Amino acid sequence: MSNTSVSEITSSRDGADSPPTVEIPATRSAISEAQRLMHHLSVVPSQKERRSSRNSFGASLPIPKVKRPSQARPAMQSIPSVDILAAQVQDLAPEKVTSAKNMAFAFDIDGVLVHGDRLIPEGKKVLEILNGDNELGIKIPHIFLTNGSGKPEQERCAQLSKILGSPVSTKQFIQSHTPMSALAEYYNTVLVVGGEGFRCREIAELYGFKDVVVPNDIVAWDETIAPYRVFGPWERASARPRDFHNTNINAILVFSDSRDYATDYQIIMDLLQSENGRLGTRAKDPVSQRIPIYFSQGDYLCPTEHPFPRMSQGTFRLGLEAMYKAITGAELERTIYGKPERATYTYADEVLSCWMEEIHAEKVLPENVYMVGDNPQSDIIGGNLYGWNTCLVKTGVHTGDENDKENPASEGLFENVLHAVIHAMRKELGTDFKFEFDTSAYNPTLVDAPISAVADA
């Protein structure tokens, strides 16, 4: 648009051909302000241009210690005949067994094994193979490492077990806020944000947090704090209001995706500008008195049953960072868990070694770990930075026909999770490795030849 003055527009309006509207030059630039206001690590996911952590000020991320399996010997149980046959086969192939125990998989879930509540068919076959339906009849160590959130681990594992048709144990499962349970040792009263209803309060209490506040508690206390919120009777009945003028909130924990951006932004911004986390106050020095805020993960997009990935917790964080900078003039110091943060992978190592002890009674961490994911900016970059092998699949966030250019998977791009697992297992166990356990070939009641003869064939 030209720099035509208002008087020139007004005078031209009197002509016979004048348009029925008047255009007034804008006083504010049409270019988005978020880019220049944002900390560069928030908007540049490239592996080449970022540090190993997205935390602005290098804050540490506490993670919990993983409980080791009980050393008590279980009571004698009848061993299924398939397990007996598998043990005999494994005795005849010690080198392959060693290689099988020295490899492991870490699977992202949404976009790799499932889309929401809908199974990706190849995911079912993969878990069957890793749970023993393979040439050796051996269990290949694998864990689930997801930036998903919003449900207790036990409930999410039961849901996944049903969808995938294979058992998923809480002992091999990490969602984005699982390591945040360690924060219960540091903070007493916390605001927990995100998720459906009051589920995240339930999760935080299961983690051991003593005093958990959710946004609805605050709105029930003072509805003017969220002027655009319609507060229903069920929400009011389930809330736990108190006099927040006399409550110091020690930290803000964003456990899951916000279901109400407007309300959550209002409350978080009030707390970040308050005096030591007390609502209704404004700090004289908002930086030194600012309470800490933690995000369970930083993904911008998440694959769902919708044809295109939906915005995730990372976009909520970007908006908050821009608001905070625009309103206060200061950068928001925040801490981010989840992939690709190193703390999450360190915790995954602990979980993986404990799972090895669970299924093979060996306290060892496999050397050859394969991260299978659909998001280059979390699954792949995190695995690459941690020294794992990485496999990118085309069933989620990444849908192109080429490996990601900025964060390429070290093992390449695969059509789906089954192709990735077959590639990795053949690499570690040989190109002739078979992906089913043929009981009829090894059962002495069904064949004349002894097992050793069959194995040598």
Side-chain angles (χ1 to χ4, degrees):
M1 177 178 173
S2 64
N3 294 322
T4 308
S5 67
V6 175
S7 60
E8 289 173 329
I9 294 176
T10 306
S11 61
S12 68
R13 186 176 54 188
D14 299 331
D17 298 327
S18 62
T21 58
V22 178
E23 293 187 9
I24 308 299
T27 57
R28 184 188 294 269
S29 170
I31 305 302
S32 166
E33 295 177 288
Q35 175 93 16
R36 66 181 179 82
L37 295 174
M38 210 78 68
H39 191 286
H40 75 283
L41 293 180
S42 302
V43 293
V44 182
S46 169
Q47 186 172 315
K48 300 174 184 176
E49 299 178 81
R50 53 171 285 168
R51 297 181 293 196
S52 60
S53 171
R54 278 183 297 184
N55 299 317
S56 308
F57 296 83
S60 62
L61 281 72
I63 58 174
K65 291 182 178 179
V66 180
K67 292 182 179 179
R68 290 282 174 181
S70 172
Q71 298 302 310
R73 184 178 293 276
M76 286 296 290
Q77 299 177 351
S78 58
I79 302 175
S81 58
V82 172
D83 287 355
I84 295 174
L85 293 176
Q88 292 173 333
V89 172
Q90 291 164 27
D91 285 342
L92 298 171
E95 291 185 3
K96 275 192 177 180
V97 168
T98 300
S99 297
K101 290 181 178 179
N102 200 30
M103 71 176 302
F105 291 91
F107 293 108
D108 180 41
I109 295 175
D110 291 303
V112 175
L113 300 171
V114 299
H115 285 138
D117 292 335
R118 180 167 54 86
L119 173 71
I120 295 175
E122 292 80 8
K124 186 176 188 300
K125 179 60 178 175
V126 159
L127 294 191
E128 288 172 356
I129 292 171
L130 299 183
N131 284 325
D133 189 12
N134 56 64
E135 177 183 315
L136 296 172
I138 193 171
K139 291 182 178 180
I140 308 292
H142 59 283
I143 61 172
F144 303 89
L145 184 59
T146 174
N147 273 354
S149 57
K151 292 182 179 179
E153 282 77 3
Q154 188 170 1
E155 182 178 326
R156 181 63 171 143
C157 286
Q159 179 189 25
L160 282 171
S161 298
K162 184 177 180 180
I163 296 171
L164 294 167
S166 290
V168 176
S169 169
T170 56
K171 296 178 182 179
Q172 60 181 149
F173 180 78
I174 306 168
Q175 53 187 340
S176 62
H177 48 60
T178 305
M180 293 174 73
S181 60
L183 296 172
E185 297 292 325
Y186 296 82
Y187 304 111
N188 184 58
T189 302
V190 294
L191 174 72
V192 174
V193 178
E196 297 178 4
F198 297 89
R199 301 309 309 277
C200 284
R201 189 205 309 269
E202 177 188 349
I203 295 165
E205 290 174 345
L206 287 171
Y207 287 168
F209 287 96
K210 298 177 182 64
D211 185 17
V212 182
V213 177
V214 297
N216 277 355
D217 300 340
I218 296 170
V219 178
W221 164 68
D222 179 5
E223 291 189 27
T224 66
I225 205 167
Y228 312 117
R229 176 68 178 272
V230 178
F231 206 53
W234 177 85
E235 294 169 311
R236 183 178 300 282
S238 305
R240 301 176 188 172
R242 69 178 84 166
D243 185 0
F244 285 100
H245 284 144
N246 297 318
T247 300
N248 284 80
I249 292 175
N250 307 131
I252 303 166
L253 312 178
V254 183
F255 263 20
S256 189
D257 292 348
S258 169
R259 265 53 172 187
D260 183 352
Y261 274 42
T263 299
D264 292 346
Y265 275 149
Q266 293 275 8
I267 292 172
I268 291 172
M269 284 297 297
D270 280 347
L271 284 171
L272 290 174
Q273 297 173 84
S274 70
E275 187 172 344
N276 297 319
R278 185 163 291 201
L279 288 166
T281 67
R282 279 291 183 267
K284 294 177 182 177
D285 181 1
V287 175
S288 66
Q289 292 182 295
R290 183 174 56 205
I291 63 174
I293 180 168
Y294 296 85
F295 294 85
S296 70
Q297 53 99 347
D299 286 353
Y300 303 146
L301 299 174
C302 176
T304 67
E305 294 179 1
H306 191 77
F308 301 105
R310 302 290 82 193
M311 291 187 294
S312 188
Q313 193 182 135
T315 56
F316 178 83
R317 174 179 55 83
L318 291 182
L320 181 66
E321 289 174 353
M323 284 180 212
Y324 187 85
K325 175 69 174 180
I327 291 172
T328 68
E331 297 284 358
L332 176 61
E333 181 178 358
R334 75 285 191 277
T335 301
I336 305 171
Y337 278 81
K339 297 172 292 186
E341 298 305 326
R342 182 177 182 85
T344 294
Y345 288 83
T346 304
Y347 183 70
D349 268 353
E350 283 293 302
V351 170
L352 189 54
S353 62
C354 284
W355 188 243
M356 268 290 291
E357 191 173 348
E358 183 84 19
I359 63 174
H360 291 308
E362 296 182 12
K363 297 181 181 180
V364 228
L365 180 66
E367 294 179 0
N368 304 306
V369 182
Y370 289 81
M371 175 78 226
V372 184
D374 66 301
N375 191 335
Q377 295 178 10
S378 59
D379 305 321
I380 303 307
I381 191 173
N384 287 343
L385 289 171
Y386 200 63
W388 286 357
N389 304 295
T390 51
C391 303
L392 181 62
V393 295
K394 297 164 59 175
T395 49
V397 170
H398 186 89
T399 55
D401 291 325
E402 296 181 357
N403 202 345
D404 188 72
K405 291 185 172 65
E406 288 190 327
N407 307 300
S410 62
E411 297 297 316
L413 177 68
F414 300 89
E415 284 293 322
N416 54 56
V417 64
L418 181 59
H419 288 198
V421 167
I422 288 175
H423 162 84
M425 291 182 70
R426 283 181 171 163
K427 179 180 174 182
E428 301 297 334
L429 305 174
T431 55
D432 60 342
F433 191 81
K434 299 178 179 62
F435 298 98
E436 59 182 27
F437 186 71
D438 187 358
T439 54
S440 63
Y442 302 120
N443 193 329
T445 65
L446 300 177
V447 294
D448 295 329
I451 290 178
S452 58
V454 174
D456 294 337

